Amino acid sequence: MRTRTITSAFLALVLASMNPAKAWEFTPGIPCVLTHETADAAVKLTYDPAIPVYTIAITQTAPFIAAPVFAIQFNGPLSLAITTDRHRLSDDDRTFSVTDSGFGNVLNGMQFNQSFTATLGDQTVTIPLTYAAPAVAAFRACDVLPAV
């Protein structure tokens, strides 16, 4: 029985190393940055405590089609939906972003749910939030980083 457990653990470790999970990454600084990539899209949040301004940007390889409303639906135990018409597309239409002075609901949604679905018109991108909570917590602490 012990050999089977050790073999199973070893096999799980080998399989995990062959297919590493793409982690949420927090980078402190001015601005603080939180990033994540999937096969379909890349997410980047920034926060500049000197201004203070938050930005979320979602990028994919295919261009987005302009739409009047951007929505983000957080899926999980603290389900939440947010909509805005204050988004913008990049020059190549592959990135849409939203900037605001407060992101409390966005950060709550990211830290305490399993995924989010970003919707721009008929286009949707779903981003898993697996293992995002520690990086989001670090990102939240950005505004209390000591000044240099």
Side-chain angles (χ1 to χ4, degrees):
M1 179 83 136
R2 180 153 165 72
T3 303
R4 182 181 296 167
T5 303
I6 292 171
T7 302
S8 297
F10 178 73
L11 181 58
L13 180 63
V14 169
L15 290 174
S17 67
M18 291 172 54
N19 188 14
K22 295 186 179 179
W24 285 86
E25 294 184 22
F26 168 69
T27 305
I30 305 291
C32 292
V33 179
L34 180 64
T35 58
H36 182 68
E37 289 186 35
T38 70
D40 299 321
V43 179
K44 181 178 181 180
L45 276 82
T46 60
Y47 175 64
D48 186 340
I51 298 178
V53 169
Y54 293 89
T55 299
I56 184 171
I58 300 173
T59 303
Q60 65 180 16
T61 54
F64 288 102
I65 298 168
V69 176
F70 163 69
I72 189 166
Q73 170 69 49
F74 293 97
N75 313 300
L78 294 176
S79 182
L80 170 69
I82 303 167
T83 62
T84 185
D85 61 359
R86 296 184 310 172
H87 60 286
R88 23 181 217 138
L89 283 171
S90 62
D91 289 340
D92 65 1
D93 295 334
R94 293 185 330 105
T95 302
F96 65 86
S97 61
V98 177
T99 301
D100 201 342
S101 60
F103 258 40
N105 286 336
V106 172
L107 297 176
N108 285 342
M110 292 179 70
Q111 190 168 0
F112 303 115
N113 287 294
Q114 281 93 33
S115 67
F116 71 80
T117 302
T119 303
L120 185 62
D122 294 336
Q123 306 150 100
T124 62
V125 176
T126 299
I127 304 293
L129 294 169
T130 308
Y131 306 116
V136 174
F139 185 81
R140 284 179 182 272
C142 178
D143 63 342
V144 295
L145 293 174
V148 182

